[in-house]
Amino acid sequence: MAHRLRPVGLDFAGIAPVRHVSALVISAPVEAVYRALADVPGWVDWFPQVTAARPVDGGAGRDITLSGGVRFRESVIAAKEPELYAYRVDVTNVPGVRALVEEWRLAPAGDGTRVRWTFATDGTAAYRLAMKPIRIAQARAFRDAVSALGRRLAA
């Protein structure tokens, strides 16, 4: 059953009770990486866990479906080309979550881009406890997806 989350702003990425941060340098230029993040339907081409992605509300929001049937209705809360793309989850079918923001920060790194992703969330005690072991899987999913994006943009 879907439920509405607490609306939070970009600052939540730095203060959330549960934060997972991953970073990776890829050979694609910052502008190309930003365009790929902002191209919502394109996520299915490089992020394996994303099975469906479509912009809503004239591009101000996103409907995302992950493998396993997890669904998110999101609002884009920051789109500052070429360095920042962030969204918060407004509605989801994930039990126990109360607030969630994902922040993507991009910075030049030699001829490529340093991609830093922050997953910031809060929820019930059971949800927060369940998020601890998920950190490793999320880091792996980030690494695999961003590596795939780098290969795709280099082609």
Side-chain angles (χ1 to χ4, degrees), residues 55-117:
V56 296
D57 301 328
R62 305 160 25 119
D63 272 345
I64 305 293
T65 303
L66 302 181
S67 54
V70 172
R71 292 184 313 276
F72 300 111
R73 167 61 62 100
E74 302 168 343
S75 291
V76 176
I77 57 174
K80 299 178 185 174
E81 189 171 354
E83 72 252 5
L84 173 63
Y85 187 76
Y87 42 88
R88 78 163 171 256
V89 174
D90 297 318
V91 177
T92 186
N93 61 346
V94 175
V97 63
R98 293 185 180 139
L100 197 160
V101 165
E102 293 186 45
E103 174 190 77
W104 296 77
R105 291 208 175 256
L106 310 175
D111 291 337
T113 301
R114 180 178 186 269
V115 180
R116 189 185 84 192
W117 171 71

